[in-house]
Amino acid sequence: MPSTNSIVSRNTTDYAFNVGLNPTVNIGSNVLTFNSGVQATVRRDSESPVAMNQNLYRVFTYMSTSSFFNAVSVSGYVSRESGPFTESNLQSQTLSAAIDFRVGAPWGKTALVTGWGASKQQFSPVHFENYLTSSYLGIERRFGERLNVRAVAEDLRAWRVVGTNSGIAQNLRPAGIVDFTPNHKWDMQVSTAYSNNRSFHAYDAIQNGFSISYARPFRRKFHDDSGTVVLEYPIRFSAGVQQETFFNFAGGQNQQFKPYVRISLF
């Protein structure tokens, strides 16, 4: 909290339930793939229930394309999320969207990557609004079939309106990702980023991350009139650690580590 020069602790658990459809649309020789659906989230916080406990409803659509003219591929999303807080007379509504472009031949080793995104969050019946825009530009380079390197520079802008007061902030964030895939089962990723807050340097930070994942297919025999077919369902195990350092922050602990484990079924 910049106004009090302190870190506020949260202990939040989200229970999410969703259902969706994945239609595919052909435009000539190009393919557009959609992932659309609805999601319900039950959010509970043991340390700050008044500020965090909320029931949310979300409608979303994600989209990706093949490479148009073997030169440009596009991906993006749009979502709307709203819901009441359970411990106070407040309701939030968030509308967000983003679009990303990859400029380069699909078989090429080097590509230009760029994109833009925005988010608007409103609270009612109080007059409280948050706005965020993000734009980035970078280069992606493949070294053979196993190693991929990506470097981007991102410009983040945020506005906040509280009653009749408002404020603006800007963050310049260079970042890099190295992705190494030794074979079709294993994947390792290393990332780093530097956040430079243009007007409030107490919250400048360095963020580093490392993750490793392993995919193992689950095989099952399916019998039909044509005979026996062996089906494979992918199961992926992932683990990693994220580290963040606020090197200019003097209001308490300025470094934190976040280990995580993830299991993806089918």
Side-chain angles (χ1 to χ4, degrees):
M1 297 288 290
S3 59
T4 60
N5 198 32
S6 62
I7 293 178
V8 178
S9 297
R10 305 283 198 215
N11 185 17
T12 308
T13 303
D14 283 357
Y15 305 91
F17 313 90
N18 69 76
V19 62
L21 296 173
N22 298 328
T24 299
V25 178
N26 293 303
I27 301 179
S29 59
N30 298 107
V31 177
L32 284 73
T33 303
F34 294 88
N35 177 7
S36 304
V38 296
Q39 176 175 301
T41 301
V42 178
R43 177 167 297 159
R44 297 294 183 264
D45 192 287
S46 62
E47 297 191 14
S48 302
V50 175
M52 298 298 297
N53 286 9
Q54 191 176 12
N55 298 326
L56 292 164
Y57 176 78
R58 178 171 173 257
V59 182
F60 62 88
T61 295
Y62 292 84
M63 181 272 297
S64 62
T65 75
S66 58
S67 182
F68 287 87
F69 311 107
N70 289 327
V72 180
S73 58
V74 185
S75 63
Y77 77 92
V78 60
S79 71
R80 182 185 183 276
E81 184 177 67
S82 62
F85 288 82
T86 63
E87 308 297 325
S88 62
N89 184 29
L90 281 178
Q91 179 160 333
S92 71
Q93 177 180 299
T94 304
L95 180 64
S96 59
I99 187 168
D100 303 287
F101 298 91
R102 185 184 185 277
V103 183
W107 55 84
K109 294 184 177 180
T110 305
L112 173 73
V113 291
T114 185
W116 178 87
S119 176
K120 178 182 179 181
Q121 184 182 44
Q122 294 178 291
F123 293 85
S124 60
V126 299
H127 187 203
F128 193 110
E129 301 179 22
N130 293 318
Y131 302 89
L132 173 69
T133 64
S134 169
S135 55
Y136 72 91
L137 179 68
I139 294 290
E140 188 175 78
R141 172 74 177 181
R142 285 201 299 257
F143 297 87
E145 298 295 328
R146 300 180 178 181
L147 183 63
N148 189 67
V149 178
R150 180 185 177 108
V152 300
E154 183 180 19
D155 180 41
L156 295 159
R157 295 174 181 266
W159 298 263
R160 173 169 289 181
V161 179
V162 181
T164 58
N165 300 316
S166 62
I168 185 173
Q170 184 178 355
N171 182 11
L172 183 62
R173 187 174 180 270
I177 299 176
V178 178
D179 194 352
F180 178 60
T181 307
N183 53 53
H184 68 282
K185 292 184 177 181
W186 290 93
D187 182 78
M188 290 177 284
Q189 190 176 96
V190 178
S191 64
T192 186
Y194 170 58
S195 293
N196 184 292
N197 296 282
R198 307 305 293 167
S199 58
F200 197 78
H201 293 287
Y203 282 83
D204 289 352
I206 295 176
Q207 295 127 351
N208 300 307
F210 171 77
S211 66
I212 184 170
S213 65
Y214 172 74
R216 181 180 179 86
F218 172 74
R219 293 180 174 87
R220 178 177 178 272
K221 292 183 178 180
F222 176 76
H223 302 277
D224 62 8
D225 295 338
S226 62
T228 301
V229 179
V230 178
L231 303 178
E232 291 188 355
Y233 301 94
I235 302 177
R236 182 171 291 275
F237 304 89
S238 305
V241 62
Q242 297 173 340
Q243 180 264 342
E244 190 171 41
T245 302
F246 295 90
F247 47 86
N248 290 330
F249 185 72
Q253 182 179 357
N254 64 355
Q255 189 177 71
Q256 56 184 334
F257 290 85
K258 299 179 181 178
Y260 68 90
V261 176
R262 180 184 298 119
I263 300 176
S264 303
L265 305 176
F266 311 141

